Amino acid sequence: MCELIINGGNRLCGEVKIQGSKNASLPILAATLLTDERCVIHNCPNISDTNTAFEILNDLGADVISLKDYVTVRAKKLCNDKIPQDLMGRMRSSVMFLGAILARCGTAVICNPGGCNLGERPIDIHLRSLRRLGVRICETNGCIFCSLGEKTAGEVTLLYPSVGATENIMLLCAGLDTSVRINNAAREPEIVDLQNFLNLMGADIRGAGTETITIYPSHRLHGCEYRVMPDRIVAATYACATAICGGEVSLVGAEPGHMRIVNAALCATGCEIKNNGSGILVCADSRPKAIEMIKTLPYPGFPTDVQPLLGAVLMTADGDSELCEAIFKKRFEYYSQLELMGADAEIKGSTLVIHGRERLFGTEVSAADLRGGAALIIAGLAASGTTVVNNVHYIDRGYESIERDLKLIGADIMRI
Ligand code: EPU
């Protein structure tokens, strides 16, 4: 079991390269199942969730080679259409393989996925959409058996713009010889990255980034070489770290267009943010200012994944702030740990009312999920004294090496 030891109080200065996106890499890895040719993926982050994806690919019969600069996947022949319970239970994104396995094999067997405990996370929108597209689904004894119906075509309207459900439908329908339209699709940049990857494989998908995505008829998909987009949540993590500690940090490779609303929120706390050609430059000179109210929403709204990170910053702001979490029911768990560090807030339904305190104090705290864990690190960087963060395996699901990156910009942090 690892823990991170942080001696808080350092200003952050320098450059940090932003890793490839976790949430873009995972569906792209699933997409490699759609061809028997080799796919080469650059900028795939070396994190535990992508390693779980490699295990799923291996278990299905694909060859995965993970090198320092790129990953190759060749699914020449699949030996299996089932994802074992253990692998399904390790991460939510294992469900993303459903559409790709179905497209390749005609059948697929999964069970309910695991992942960070952010409250109830059903997959009803995925299953309802697949049924609407003609997939036969039978749920028994915790297993979900799926098989392609006669015709996968037409139109599906999502009741909520679910990121995973949008990706699952794209993965099922790419490379078909009929058209499928997704209405009320998720608009996240990771969806655009998946569209770009699938189109490079020979699919004809248009509209990602808008609420209507159309998958047009195309030929058989083939191998390709692709570079995954930068991780906007990792970039937001280091931006929030700078906002709370003060300093000047260049987020190399961060995509300003993906970060507009996060940057606007950080500017409201008093940061200065510029696009500096190689990414984003974040400057913070004084104690963060409180902000009136931020509500998490699907993209292009404020990302739920950044809510805990901004929450940590606002705990030290000068005044009261409100964060309303509209996507996940259990995403304020991190507050109980920040309270041990001297933070002061109240949970009122889906809103966290934060009373900013000038100082937080280092103590021993435990991560309960990925972004909540990163929020504890952000708080520890600004706290006086030493903070020990336990349960680092949650944080390793999404960050290649958060301590390496933070050390580079001047933080006093080490892993034991
Ligand atoms: N939902 C349903 N039924 C469904 C699907 C979703 O009720 O069938 C609900 C969820 O319970 C949740 C909301 O809809 O309340 C949003 O879920 P969505 O499907 O959009 O999210 P996801 O695909 O499960 C992805 C990211 C999450 C990120 C959310 C929202 C990946 C691998 N994960 O999850 O990332 O929080 O979108 O933006 O892409 C993270 O990186 O830490 C993380 C949790």
Side-chain angles (χ1 to χ4, degrees), residues 109 113 124 131 183 202-203 255 259 306 309 329 333 391 411 414:
V109 186
D124 56 320
R131 278 197 175 103
N183 300 316
E255 173 53 58
M259 309 245 333
V306 182
L309 314 172
K329 288 224 158 61
E333 296 291 288
N391 282 344
M414 71 180 164

XYZ file of all heavy atoms in Angstrom, residues 109 113 124 131 183 202-203 255 259 306 309 329 333 391 411 414:
121
model
N -20.885 -10.883 -23.707
C -21.381 -11.158 -22.353
C -20.579 -10.291 -21.380
O -19.352 -10.339 -21.357
C -21.190 -12.648 -21.967
C -21.857 -12.933 -20.625
C -21.715 -13.567 -23.048
N -20.501 -3.009 -14.466
C -19.119 -2.546 -14.257
C -18.898 -1.963 -12.868
O -19.842 -1.512 -12.220
C -18.972 -1.459 -15.316
C -20.343 -0.929 -15.531
C -21.278 -2.080 -15.304
N -28.393 1.658 -17.616
C -29.683 1.524 -18.307
C -29.726 2.287 -19.629
O -30.331 1.832 -20.606
C -30.822 1.991 -17.373
C -30.604 3.410 -16.874
O -29.462 3.776 -16.556
O -31.581 4.178 -16.806
N -30.784 -1.747 -27.260
C -32.043 -2.455 -27.589
C -32.763 -1.727 -28.727
O -33.266 -2.336 -29.658
C -32.978 -2.481 -26.373
C -32.636 -3.594 -25.396
C -33.815 -3.855 -24.430
N -33.516 -4.988 -23.590
C -33.124 -4.904 -22.313
N -33.011 -3.732 -21.731
N -32.855 -5.986 -21.629
N -29.317 11.121 -31.167
C -29.799 12.447 -30.736
C -29.505 12.619 -29.249
O -29.480 11.646 -28.500
C -31.299 12.566 -30.956
C -31.681 12.384 -32.413
O -31.020 12.931 -33.298
N -32.713 11.597 -32.667
N -11.407 4.241 -40.981
C -12.228 4.028 -42.176
C -13.720 4.235 -41.952
O -14.508 4.090 -42.890
N -14.126 4.575 -40.724
C -15.550 4.828 -40.477
C -15.929 6.202 -41.045
O -15.049 6.992 -41.410
C -15.829 4.783 -38.979
N -4.947 21.768 -23.927
C -5.710 22.323 -25.047
C -6.658 23.406 -24.505
O -7.653 23.089 -23.836
C -6.472 21.167 -25.694
C -7.452 21.522 -26.784
C -6.852 22.361 -27.897
O -5.875 21.905 -28.517
O -7.358 23.473 -28.127
N -10.742 23.783 -22.109
C -10.662 24.177 -20.700
C -11.343 25.504 -20.423
O -11.130 26.082 -19.356
C -9.181 24.274 -20.288
C -8.383 23.063 -20.651
S -7.729 22.116 -19.335
C -7.497 23.139 -17.979
N -13.898 18.011 -12.164
C -13.083 19.112 -11.630
C -13.710 19.675 -10.339
O -13.075 20.428 -9.610
C -12.888 20.216 -12.707
C -11.995 21.349 -12.205
C -12.256 19.621 -13.962
N -11.657 19.190 -7.244
C -10.375 19.906 -7.343
C -10.592 21.390 -7.035
O -9.849 21.998 -6.252
C -9.775 19.732 -8.743
C -9.778 18.299 -9.304
C -9.352 18.292 -10.759
C -8.858 17.407 -8.477
N -24.263 11.545 -7.481
C -24.894 11.780 -6.175
C -23.884 11.833 -5.036
O -24.092 12.494 -4.029
C -25.905 10.661 -5.888
C -27.153 10.761 -6.733
C -28.410 10.521 -5.898
C -29.635 11.120 -6.534
N -29.953 10.578 -7.862
N -17.659 13.225 -1.089
C -17.023 12.374 -0.065
C -15.686 12.959 0.411
O -15.292 12.787 1.555
C -16.742 10.974 -0.626
C -17.986 10.203 -1.001
C -18.809 9.794 0.193
O -18.360 8.888 0.907
O -19.881 10.382 0.411
N -4.517 5.393 0.417
C -5.348 4.853 -0.685
C -4.981 5.474 -2.028
O -5.858 5.833 -2.830
C -6.847 5.111 -0.432
C -7.426 4.137 0.559
O -6.800 3.098 0.837
N -8.586 4.443 1.099
N 6.742 21.210 -5.835
C 6.060 20.721 -4.629
C 6.984 19.790 -3.852
O 7.854 19.134 -4.430
C 4.791 19.976 -5.031
N 6.371 13.146 -1.760
C 7.016 11.882 -2.112
C 6.098 10.702 -1.812
O 5.182 10.803 -0.995
C 8.355 11.715 -1.408
C 8.262 11.475 0.046
S 9.912 11.301 0.681
C 9.588 11.500 2.404
